[in-house]
Amino acid sequence: MIFRNKVEKNFNTTNIEKEFLMLYGEVSEAFDAYKKNNKAELAEELADVAIYLFGLSEILNIDLDQEIQRKIEINHHRKYQSNGNGYGQRIDD
């Protein structure tokens, strides 16, 4: 659906580097909205992040839904420990 919209609107569907940069830009805009505590703008920017991410995966012929489920399963079986800064560190390496 996202790829089809790109084609219909004559948006980029071949320059992978450009898509990564656009995705990075949308993540930056989402962070700025978060810092401003603007929930409506943040929601819109997060939607843009998802659109670019799913569009990039379509361009690369990657089933992102399937890969997310696979990664969730991998992470479910990993062991983590708190390192005191709000992030977990893997201990099963």
Coordinates of all heavy atoms in Angstrom, one line a residue:
M1 N 0.8 -1.2 0.0 CA 0.0 0.0 0.0 C 0.9 1.3 0.0 O 0.6 2.2 -0.7 CB -0.9 0.0 1.2 CG -1.9 1.1 1.3 SD -3.2 0.9 2.4 CE -2.8 2.1 3.6
I2 N 1.9 1.3 0.8 CA 2.8 2.5 0.9 C 3.6 2.6 -0.4 O 3.7 3.7 -1.0 CB 3.7 2.4 2.1 CG1 2.9 2.5 3.4 CG2 4.8 3.5 2.1 CD1 3.6 2.2 4.7
F3 N 4.1 1.5 -0.9 CA 4.8 1.5 -2.1 C 4.0 1.9 -3.3 O 4.4 2.7 -4.1 CB 5.4 0.1 -2.4 CG 6.3 0.1 -3.7 CD1 7.6 0.5 -3.6 CD2 5.8 -0.4 -4.9 CE1 8.4 0.5 -4.7 CE2 6.6 -0.4 -6.0 CZ 7.9 0.0 -5.9
R4 N 2.8 1.4 -3.4 CA 1.8 1.8 -4.4 C 1.6 3.3 -4.4 O 1.6 4.0 -5.4 CB 0.5 1.1 -4.3 CG -0.5 1.4 -5.4 CD -1.8 0.6 -5.2 NE -2.2 0.8 -3.8 CZ -3.3 0.2 -3.3 NH1 -4.0 -0.6 -4.0 NH2 -3.6 0.4 -2.1
N5 N 1.4 3.9 -3.2 CA 1.3 5.3 -3.1 C 2.5 6.1 -3.6 O 2.4 7.1 -4.3 CB 1.0 5.7 -1.6 CG 0.7 7.2 -1.5 OD1 -0.2 7.8 -2.0 ND2 1.6 7.9 -0.7
K6 N 3.7 5.6 -3.3 CA 4.9 6.2 -3.8 C 4.9 6.2 -5.3 O 5.3 7.2 -5.9 CB 6.1 5.4 -3.3 CG 6.5 5.7 -1.8 CD 7.7 4.9 -1.5 CE 8.4 5.4 -0.2 NZ 9.0 6.7 -0.3
V7 N 4.5 5.1 -5.9 CA 4.5 5.0 -7.4 C 3.5 6.0 -7.9 O 3.7 6.7 -8.9 CB 4.2 3.5 -7.8 CG1 4.0 3.5 -9.3 CG2 5.4 2.6 -7.4
E8 N 2.3 5.9 -7.4 CA 1.2 6.8 -7.9 C 1.5 8.3 -7.8 O 1.1 9.1 -8.6 CB -0.1 6.5 -7.1 CG -0.7 5.2 -7.4 CD -1.9 4.8 -6.6 OE1 -2.2 5.6 -5.6 OE2 -2.5 3.7 -6.8
K9 N 2.3 8.7 -6.7 CA 2.6 10.1 -6.5 C 4.0 10.4 -7.1 O 4.4 11.5 -7.0 CB 2.7 10.4 -5.0 CG 1.4 10.1 -4.3 CD 0.5 11.3 -4.4 CE -0.6 11.4 -3.4 NZ -1.6 10.4 -3.4
N10 N 4.6 9.5 -7.8 CA 5.9 9.7 -8.4 C 7.0 10.0 -7.4 O 7.9 10.7 -7.7 CB 5.8 10.8 -9.5 CG 6.6 10.4 -10.7 OD1 7.0 9.3 -10.9 ND2 6.8 11.4 -11.6
F11 N 6.9 9.4 -6.2 CA 7.9 9.5 -5.2 C 9.0 8.5 -5.5 O 8.9 7.6 -6.3 CB 7.3 9.3 -3.8 CG 6.3 10.3 -3.3 CD1 5.5 10.0 -2.3 CD2 6.3 11.6 -3.9 CE1 4.5 10.9 -1.8 CE2 5.4 12.5 -3.4 CZ 4.5 12.2 -2.4
N12 N 10.1 8.7 -4.8 CA 11.3 7.9 -4.9 C 11.0 6.4 -4.6 O 10.3 6.1 -3.6 CB 12.4 8.3 -3.9 CG 13.6 7.4 -3.9 OD1 14.2 7.1 -5.0 ND2 13.9 6.9 -2.8
T13 N 11.4 5.5 -5.4 CA 11.3 4.1 -5.2 C 12.5 3.3 -5.5 O 12.6 2.1 -5.5 CB 10.1 3.4 -6.0 OG1 10.4 3.7 -7.4 CG2 8.8 4.0 -5.7
T14 N 13.6 4.0 -5.8 CA 14.9 3.4 -6.2 C 16.1 3.8 -5.4 O 17.0 3.0 -5.3 CB 15.1 3.6 -7.7 OG1 15.2 5.0 -7.9 CG2 14.0 3.0 -8.6
N15 N 16.1 5.0 -4.9 CA 17.3 5.5 -4.2 C 17.2 5.1 -2.7 O 16.6 5.9 -1.9 CB 17.4 7.0 -4.4 CG 18.7 7.6 -3.8 OD1 19.2 7.1 -2.8 ND2 19.2 8.6 -4.4
I16 N 17.8 4.0 -2.4 CA 17.7 3.5 -1.0 C 18.4 4.5 0.0 O 17.8 4.7 1.1 CB 18.4 2.1 -0.9 CG1 17.8 1.1 -1.9 CG2 18.4 1.6 0.5 CD1 16.3 1.0 -1.7
E17 N 19.5 5.1 -0.4 CA 20.2 6.0 0.5 C 19.3 7.2 0.9 O 19.2 7.6 2.0 CB 21.5 6.5 -0.1 CG 22.6 5.5 -0.2 CD 22.4 4.6 -1.5 OE1 21.5 4.8 -2.3 OE2 23.2 3.6 -1.6
K18 N 18.6 7.7 -0.1 CA 17.6 8.8 0.1 C 16.5 8.4 1.1 O 16.1 9.2 1.9 CB 17.0 9.3 -1.2 CG 16.1 10.4 -1.1 CD 15.5 10.9 -2.4 CE 14.6 12.1 -2.2 NZ 14.1 12.6 -3.5
E19 N 16.0 7.2 0.9 CA 15.0 6.7 1.8 C 15.5 6.6 3.2 O 14.7 7.0 4.2 CB 14.4 5.3 1.3 CG 13.6 5.4 0.1 CD 12.4 6.3 0.2 OE1 11.5 6.0 1.0 OE2 12.3 7.4 -0.5
F20 N 16.7 6.1 3.4 CA 17.3 6.1 4.8 C 17.4 7.5 5.4 O 17.1 7.7 6.5 CB 18.6 5.4 4.8 CG 18.5 3.9 5.0 CD1 18.8 3.1 3.9 CD2 18.2 3.3 6.2 CE1 18.8 1.7 4.1 CE2 18.1 2.0 6.4 CZ 18.4 1.1 5.3
L21 N 17.8 8.4 4.5 CA 18.0 9.8 5.0 C 16.6 10.4 5.3 O 16.5 11.2 6.3 CB 18.7 10.7 4.0 CG 20.2 10.4 3.8 CD1 20.7 11.1 2.6 CD2 20.9 10.7 5.1
M22 N 15.6 10.1 4.5 CA 14.3 10.7 4.8 C 13.7 10.0 6.1 O 13.1 10.7 6.9 CB 13.3 10.4 3.6 CG 13.7 11.1 2.4 SD 13.7 12.9 2.5 CE 12.0 13.2 2.6
L23 N 14.0 8.8 6.3 CA 13.5 8.1 7.5 C 14.2 8.7 8.7 O 13.6 9.0 9.8 CB 13.9 6.6 7.5 CG 13.6 5.8 8.7 CD1 12.2 5.8 9.1 CD2 14.1 4.3 8.5
Y24 N 15.5 9.0 8.6 CA 16.3 9.6 9.7 C 15.7 11.0 10.0 O 15.5 11.4 11.2 CB 17.8 9.7 9.3 CG 18.6 10.5 10.3 CD1 19.1 9.8 11.4 CD2 19.0 11.8 10.1 CE1 19.9 10.5 12.3 CE2 19.7 12.5 11.0 CZ 20.2 11.8 12.1 OH 21.0 12.5 13.0
G25 N 15.4 11.7 9.0 CA 14.8 13.1 9.1 C 13.4 13.0 9.9 O 13.2 13.8 10.7
E26 N 12.6 12.0 9.6 CA 11.3 11.9 10.3 C 11.5 11.5 11.7 O 10.8 12.0 12.6 CB 10.5 10.8 9.5 CG 10.0 11.3 8.1 CD 9.2 12.5 8.1 OE1 8.6 12.9 9.1 OE2 9.1 13.2 7.0
V27 N 12.5 10.6 12.0 CA 12.8 10.3 13.4 C 13.2 11.6 14.2 O 12.8 11.8 15.3 CB 13.9 9.2 13.5 CG1 14.4 9.0 14.9 CG2 13.4 7.9 12.9
S28 N 14.1 12.4 13.5 CA 14.5 13.6 14.1 C 13.3 14.6 14.4 O 13.2 15.2 15.5 CB 15.5 14.3 13.2 OG 15.9 15.6 13.8
E29 N 12.4 14.7 13.5 CA 11.2 15.5 13.7 C 10.3 15.0 14.8 O 9.8 15.7 15.6 CB 10.4 15.6 12.4 CG 11.1 16.4 11.3 CD 10.4 16.4 10.0 OE1 9.3 15.9 9.9 OE2 10.9 17.0 9.0
A30 N 10.2 13.6 14.9 CA 9.5 13.0 16.0 C 10.1 13.4 17.3 O 9.4 13.7 18.3 CB 9.4 11.5 15.8
F31 N 11.4 13.3 17.4 CA 12.1 13.6 18.6 C 11.9 15.1 19.0 O 11.7 15.4 20.2 CB 13.6 13.3 18.5 CG 14.4 13.6 19.8 CD1 14.1 12.8 20.9 CD2 15.3 14.6 19.8 CE1 14.8 13.1 22.1 CE2 16.0 14.8 21.0 CZ 15.8 14.1 22.1
D32 N 12.0 16.0 18.0 CA 11.7 17.4 18.3 C 10.3 17.6 18.8 O 10.1 18.4 19.8 CB 11.9 18.2 17.0 CG 13.4 18.4 16.6 OD1 14.3 18.1 17.5 OD2 13.6 18.8 15.5
A33 N 9.3 16.9 18.3 CA 8.0 17.1 18.7 C 7.8 16.5 20.2 O 7.1 17.1 21.0 CB 7.0 16.3 17.8
Y34 N 8.6 15.4 20.4 CA 8.6 14.9 21.8 C 9.2 15.9 22.8 O 8.6 16.1 23.9 CB 9.4 13.6 21.8 CG 9.7 13.1 23.2 CD1 8.7 12.4 24.0 CD2 10.9 13.3 23.8 CE1 9.0 12.0 25.2 CE2 11.2 12.8 25.0 CZ 10.2 12.2 25.8 OH 10.5 11.8 27.1
K35 N 10.3 16.5 22.4 CA 10.9 17.5 23.3 C 10.0 18.7 23.6 O 10.0 19.3 24.6 CB 12.3 18.0 22.7 CG 13.3 16.9 22.7 CD 14.7 17.5 22.4 CE 14.8 18.3 21.2 NZ 16.1 18.8 20.8
K36 N 9.2 19.1 22.6 CA 8.3 20.2 22.7 C 7.0 19.7 23.5 O 6.1 20.6 23.7 CB 7.9 20.7 21.4 CG 9.0 21.4 20.6 CD 8.5 22.2 19.4 CE 8.2 21.2 18.3 NZ 7.8 21.8 17.0
N37 N 6.9 18.4 23.8 CA 5.7 17.9 24.5 C 4.4 18.1 23.7 O 3.4 18.4 24.2 CB 5.6 18.4 25.9 CG 4.7 17.6 26.8 OD1 4.6 16.4 26.5 ND2 4.1 18.2 27.7
N38 N 4.6 18.0 22.3 CA 3.5 18.2 21.4 C 3.0 16.9 20.9 O 3.5 16.3 20.0 CB 3.9 19.1 20.2 CG 2.7 19.4 19.3 OD1 1.8 18.7 19.2 ND2 2.9 20.6 18.7
K39 N 2.0 16.3 21.7 CA 1.6 14.9 21.4 C 1.0 14.8 20.0 O 1.2 13.8 19.3 CB 0.6 14.5 22.5 CG 0.3 13.0 22.4 CD -0.4 12.5 23.6 CE -0.5 11.0 23.6 NZ -1.1 10.4 24.8
A40 N 0.2 15.7 19.6 CA -0.4 15.6 18.3 C 0.6 15.6 17.2 O 0.6 14.8 16.2 CB -1.4 16.8 18.0
E41 N 1.6 16.5 17.3 CA 2.7 16.5 16.3 C 3.5 15.3 16.4 O 3.9 14.7 15.3 CB 3.5 17.8 16.5 CG 4.6 18.0 15.4 CD 5.5 19.2 15.7 OE1 5.0 20.1 16.4 OE2 6.6 19.2 15.2
L42 N 3.8 14.8 17.6 CA 4.6 13.6 17.8 C 3.9 12.4 17.1 O 4.5 11.6 16.4 CB 4.8 13.3 19.3 CG 5.4 12.0 19.6 CD1 6.8 11.9 19.0 CD2 5.5 11.9 21.1
A43 N 2.5 12.3 17.3 CA 1.8 11.2 16.7 C 1.9 11.2 15.2 O 2.1 10.2 14.5 CB 0.3 11.3 17.1
E44 N 1.8 12.4 14.6 CA 1.9 12.5 13.1 C 3.3 12.2 12.7 O 3.5 11.5 11.6 CB 1.6 14.0 12.7 CG 1.5 14.1 11.2 CD 1.0 15.5 10.8 OE1 0.3 16.2 11.6 OE2 1.4 16.0 9.7
E45 N 4.3 12.6 13.4 CA 5.7 12.3 13.0 C 6.0 10.8 13.1 O 6.7 10.2 12.3 CB 6.7 13.1 13.8 CG 6.6 14.6 13.5 CD 6.8 15.0 12.1 OE1 7.4 14.2 11.3 OE2 6.3 16.1 11.7
L46 N 5.5 10.2 14.2 CA 5.7 8.7 14.3 C 5.0 8.0 13.2 O 5.5 7.0 12.7 CB 5.2 8.3 15.7 CG 6.0 8.7 16.9 CD1 5.4 8.2 18.2 CD2 7.5 8.1 16.8
A47 N 3.9 8.5 12.8 CA 3.2 7.9 11.6 C 4.1 8.0 10.4 O 4.3 7.1 9.6 CB 1.9 8.5 11.3
D48 N 4.7 9.2 10.2 CA 5.7 9.4 9.1 C 6.8 8.4 9.2 O 7.3 7.8 8.1 CB 6.2 10.8 9.0 CG 5.1 11.8 8.5 OD1 4.2 11.4 7.9 OD2 5.3 13.0 8.8
V49 N 7.4 8.2 10.4 CA 8.5 7.3 10.6 C 8.0 5.9 10.1 O 8.7 5.2 9.3 CB 8.9 7.2 12.0 CG1 9.8 6.0 12.3 CG2 9.6 8.5 12.5
A50 N 6.8 5.5 10.5 CA 6.4 4.1 10.1 C 6.2 4.0 8.6 O 6.5 3.0 8.0 CB 5.1 3.8 10.9
I51 N 5.6 5.1 8.0 CA 5.4 5.1 6.6 C 6.7 4.9 5.8 O 6.9 4.1 4.9 CB 4.6 6.3 6.1 CG1 3.2 6.2 6.6 CG2 4.7 6.5 4.6 CD1 2.4 7.5 6.5
Y52 N 7.7 5.7 6.2 CA 9.0 5.6 5.6 C 9.7 4.2 5.8 O 10.3 3.6 4.9 CB 10.0 6.7 6.0 CG 9.8 7.9 5.1 CD1 9.1 9.0 5.5 CD2 10.4 8.0 3.9 CE1 8.9 10.1 4.7 CE2 10.3 9.1 3.0 CZ 9.6 10.1 3.5 OH 9.4 11.2 2.6
L53 N 9.6 3.7 7.0 CA 10.2 2.4 7.4 C 9.5 1.3 6.6 O 10.2 0.5 6.0 CB 10.1 2.2 8.9 CG 10.7 0.9 9.4 CD1 12.2 0.8 9.1 CD2 10.4 0.7 10.9
F54 N 8.2 1.3 6.6 CA 7.5 0.2 5.8 C 7.7 0.4 4.3 O 7.8 -0.6 3.6 CB 6.0 0.2 6.2 CG 5.7 -0.6 7.4 CD1 5.8 0.0 8.7 CD2 5.5 -2.0 7.3 CE1 5.5 -0.8 9.8 CE2 5.3 -2.7 8.4 CZ 5.3 -2.1 9.7
G55 N 7.7 1.7 3.8 CA 8.0 1.9 2.4 C 9.4 1.4 2.0 O 9.6 0.7 1.0
L56 N 10.4 1.7 2.9 CA 11.7 1.2 2.6 C 11.8 -0.3 2.6 O 12.4 -0.9 1.7 CB 12.7 1.7 3.7 CG 14.2 1.4 3.6 CD1 14.7 1.8 2.2 CD2 14.9 2.0 4.7
S57 N 11.1 -1.0 3.5 CA 11.1 -2.4 3.5 C 10.4 -3.0 2.3 O 10.8 -4.0 1.7 CB 10.4 -3.0 4.8 OG 9.0 -2.7 4.8
E58 N 9.4 -2.3 1.8 CA 8.7 -2.7 0.5 C 9.7 -2.6 -0.7 O 9.8 -3.5 -1.5 CB 7.4 -1.9 0.3 CG 6.3 -2.4 1.1 CD 5.0 -1.6 0.8 OE1 4.4 -1.9 -0.3 OE2 4.6 -0.7 1.5
I59 N 10.4 -1.5 -0.7 CA 11.4 -1.3 -1.8 C 12.4 -2.4 -1.8 O 12.8 -2.9 -2.8 CB 12.0 0.1 -1.7 CG1 11.0 1.2 -2.0 CG2 13.2 0.2 -2.6 CD1 11.5 2.6 -1.6
L60 N 12.8 -2.8 -0.6 CA 13.9 -3.8 -0.5 C 13.3 -5.2 -0.5 O 14.1 -6.2 -0.3 CB 14.7 -3.5 0.8 CG 15.5 -2.2 0.9 CD1 16.0 -2.0 2.3 CD2 16.6 -2.3 -0.1
N61 N 12.0 -5.3 -0.7 CA 11.3 -6.6 -0.7 C 11.5 -7.4 0.6 O 11.9 -8.6 0.6 CB 11.8 -7.4 -1.9 CG 10.8 -8.5 -2.2 OD1 9.6 -8.4 -2.0 ND2 11.3 -9.6 -2.8
I62 N 11.4 -6.7 1.7 CA 11.5 -7.3 3.0 C 10.1 -7.3 3.7 O 9.5 -6.2 3.7 CB 12.5 -6.6 3.9 CG1 13.9 -6.7 3.3 CG2 12.4 -7.1 5.4 CD1 15.0 -5.9 4.0
D63 N 9.6 -8.4 4.2 CA 8.4 -8.5 4.8 C 8.6 -8.1 6.3 O 9.0 -8.9 7.2 CB 7.8 -10.0 4.8 CG 6.4 -10.1 5.4 OD1 6.1 -9.2 6.2 OD2 5.7 -11.1 5.1
L64 N 8.4 -6.8 6.5 CA 8.7 -6.2 7.9 C 7.8 -6.8 9.0 O 8.3 -7.0 10.1 CB 8.6 -4.7 7.8 CG 9.3 -4.0 9.0 CD1 10.7 -4.4 9.2 CD2 9.2 -2.5 8.8
D65 N 6.6 -7.1 8.7 CA 5.7 -7.7 9.7 C 6.3 -9.0 10.1 O 6.4 -9.3 11.3 CB 4.3 -7.9 9.1 CG 3.5 -6.6 8.9 OD1 3.7 -5.7 9.7 OD2 2.7 -6.6 7.9
Q66 N 6.7 -9.8 9.2 CA 7.3 -11.1 9.5 C 8.6 -11.0 10.3 O 8.8 -11.7 11.2 CB 7.5 -11.9 8.2 CG 8.1 -13.3 8.4 CD 8.4 -14.0 7.1 OE1 8.0 -13.5 6.0 NE2 9.1 -15.1 7.1
E67 N 9.4 -10.0 9.9 CA 10.7 -9.8 10.5 C 10.5 -9.3 11.9 O 11.3 -9.7 12.9 CB 11.6 -8.9 9.7 CG 12.1 -9.5 8.4 CD 12.8 -10.8 8.6 OE1 13.7 -10.9 9.6 OE2 12.6 -11.7 7.8
I68 N 9.5 -8.5 12.2 CA 9.2 -8.0 13.5 C 8.8 -9.1 14.4 O 9.3 -9.3 15.5 CB 8.1 -6.9 13.5 CG1 8.7 -5.6 12.9 CG2 7.6 -6.6 14.9 CD1 7.7 -4.5 12.6
Q69 N 7.9 -10.0 13.9 CA 7.5 -11.2 14.7 C 8.7 -12.1 15.0 O 8.8 -12.6 16.1 CB 6.4 -11.9 14.0 CG 5.1 -11.2 13.9 CD 4.6 -10.8 15.2 OE1 4.5 -11.5 16.2 NE2 4.2 -9.5 15.3
R70 N 9.5 -12.3 14.0 CA 10.7 -13.1 14.2 C 11.6 -12.5 15.3 O 12.1 -13.2 16.2 CB 11.5 -13.3 12.9 CG 12.7 -14.2 12.9 CD 13.4 -14.3 11.6 NE 14.1 -13.1 11.3 CZ 15.3 -12.7 11.9 NH1 15.9 -13.5 12.7 NH2 15.9 -11.6 11.6
K71 N 11.8 -11.2 15.2 CA 12.7 -10.5 16.2 C 12.1 -10.5 17.6 O 12.8 -10.7 18.6 CB 13.0 -9.1 15.7 CG 14.0 -8.4 16.5 CD 15.4 -9.1 16.4 CE 16.4 -8.2 17.2 NZ 17.8 -8.7 17.1
I72 N 10.8 -10.4 17.7 CA 10.2 -10.4 19.0 C 10.4 -11.8 19.6 O 10.7 -11.9 20.8 CB 8.6 -10.1 18.9 CG1 8.4 -8.6 18.6 CG2 7.9 -10.5 20.1 CD1 7.0 -8.2 18.2
E73 N 10.3 -12.8 18.8 CA 10.5 -14.2 19.3 C 12.0 -14.4 19.8 O 12.2 -14.9 20.8 CB 10.2 -15.2 18.3 CG 10.2 -16.6 18.7 CD 9.2 -17.0 19.8 OE1 8.2 -16.3 20.0 OE2 9.5 -17.9 20.6
I74 N 12.9 -13.9 19.0 CA 14.3 -13.9 19.4 C 14.5 -13.2 20.7 O 15.2 -13.7 21.7 CB 15.2 -13.3 18.3 CG1 15.3 -14.2 17.1 CG2 16.6 -13.1 18.8 CD1 15.9 -13.6 15.9
N75 N 14.0 -12.0 20.8 CA 14.2 -11.2 22.0 C 13.5 -11.8 23.2 O 14.0 -11.7 24.4 CB 13.7 -9.8 21.8 CG 14.6 -9.0 20.9 OD1 15.7 -9.3 20.7 ND2 14.1 -7.9 20.4
H76 N 12.4 -12.5 23.0 CA 11.7 -13.2 24.1 C 12.6 -14.2 24.8 O 12.5 -14.3 26.0 CB 10.4 -13.8 23.6 CG 9.7 -14.6 24.6 ND1 9.0 -14.0 25.6 CD2 9.6 -15.9 24.8 CE1 8.4 -14.9 26.4 NE2 8.8 -16.1 25.9
H77 N 13.4 -14.8 24.1 CA 14.3 -15.9 24.6 C 15.6 -15.3 25.2 O 16.4 -16.1 25.8 CB 14.5 -17.0 23.6 CG 13.2 -17.7 23.3 ND1 12.6 -18.5 24.1 CD2 12.5 -17.6 22.2 CE1 11.5 -19.0 23.6 NE2 11.4 -18.4 22.4
R78 N 15.9 -14.1 24.9 CA 17.2 -13.5 25.4 C 17.1 -13.1 26.9 O 16.0 -12.8 27.3 CB 17.6 -12.3 24.6 CG 18.1 -12.6 23.2 CD 18.5 -11.4 22.5 NE 19.1 -11.7 21.2 CZ 19.3 -10.9 20.2 NH1 18.8 -9.7 20.2 NH2 19.9 -11.3 19.1
K79 N 18.2 -13.1 27.5 CA 18.3 -12.7 28.9 C 18.9 -11.4 29.0 O 19.9 -11.1 28.3 CB 19.0 -13.8 29.7 CG 18.3 -15.1 29.8 CD 19.1 -16.1 30.7 CE 18.4 -17.4 30.9 NZ 17.7 -18.0 29.9
Y80 N 18.4 -10.5 29.8 CA 18.9 -9.2 30.0 C 19.0 -8.9 31.5 O 18.4 -9.5 32.3 CB 17.9 -8.1 29.4 CG 17.7 -8.2 28.0 CD1 16.7 -9.0 27.4 CD2 18.5 -7.4 27.1 CE1 16.5 -9.1 26.0 CE2 18.3 -7.5 25.7 CZ 17.3 -8.3 25.2 OH 17.1 -8.4 23.8
Q81 N 19.9 -7.9 31.8 CA 20.0 -7.4 33.2 C 20.1 -5.9 33.1 O 20.5 -5.3 32.2 CB 21.2 -8.0 33.9 CG 22.6 -7.4 33.4 CD 23.8 -8.1 34.1 OE1 23.6 -9.1 34.8 NE2 24.9 -7.4 33.9
S82 N 19.6 -5.3 34.2 CA 19.6 -3.9 34.2 C 21.0 -3.4 34.4 O 21.7 -3.9 35.2 CB 18.7 -3.4 35.4 OG 18.8 -2.0 35.5
N83 N 21.3 -2.3 33.8 CA 22.6 -1.7 34.0 C 22.5 -0.4 34.7 O 23.5 0.4 34.7 CB 23.4 -1.6 32.7 CG 22.7 -0.7 31.6 OD1 21.7 -0.1 31.9 ND2 23.2 -0.7 30.4
G84 N 21.4 -0.1 35.3 CA 21.2 1.1 36.1 C 20.8 2.4 35.4 O 20.6 3.4 36.1
N85 N 20.8 2.4 34.1 CA 20.5 3.6 33.4 C 19.2 3.5 32.6 O 18.9 4.3 31.7 CB 21.6 4.0 32.5 CG 21.9 3.1 31.3 OD1 21.2 2.1 31.2 ND2 22.8 3.4 30.5
G86 N 18.4 2.5 32.9 CA 17.1 2.4 32.2 C 17.2 1.5 31.0 O 16.1 1.3 30.3
Y87 N 18.3 1.0 30.7 CA 18.5 0.1 29.5 C 19.0 -1.2 30.0 O 19.7 -1.3 31.0 CB 19.5 0.7 28.5 CG 19.1 2.0 27.9 CD1 19.5 3.2 28.4 CD2 18.2 2.0 26.8 CE1 19.1 4.4 27.8 CE2 17.8 3.2 26.2 CZ 18.2 4.4 26.8 OH 17.8 5.5 26.2
G88 N 18.5 -2.2 29.4 CA 19.0 -3.6 29.7 C 20.2 -4.0 28.9 O 20.3 -3.5 27.7
Q89 N 21.0 -4.8 29.4 CA 22.2 -5.3 28.7 C 22.0 -6.8 28.6 O 21.7 -7.5 29.5 CB 23.4 -5.0 29.5 CG 24.7 -5.5 28.9 CD 25.9 -5.1 29.7 OE1 25.9 -4.3 30.6 NE2 27.0 -5.7 29.3
R90 N 22.2 -7.3 27.4 CA 22.1 -8.7 27.1 C 23.2 -9.5 27.9 O 24.3 -9.0 28.0 CB 22.3 -9.1 25.6 CG 21.0 -8.8 24.8 CD 21.1 -9.2 23.4 NE 21.8 -10.5 23.2 CZ 22.2 -10.8 22.0 NH1 22.1 -10.0 21.0 NH2 22.8 -12.0 21.8
I91 N 22.8 -10.6 28.5 CA 23.8 -11.4 29.3 C 23.9 -12.8 28.7 O 24.6 -13.6 29.2 CB 23.4 -11.5 30.8 CG1 22.0 -12.1 30.9 CG2 23.5 -10.1 31.4 CD1 21.6 -12.3 32.4
D92 N 23.3 -13.0 27.5 CA 23.3 -14.4 26.9 C 24.3 -14.5 25.8 O 24.1 -15.4 24.9 CB 21.9 -14.9 26.6 CG 21.2 -14.0 25.5 OD1 21.7 -12.8 25.3 OD2 20.3 -14.4 24.9
D93 N 25.2 -13.6 25.7 CA 26.2 -13.6 24.5 C 27.2 -14.7 24.8 O 27.6 -15.0 25.8 CB 26.9 -12.3 24.4 CG 26.0 -11.2 23.8 OD1 25.1 -11.6 23.0 OD2 26.2 -10.1 24.1

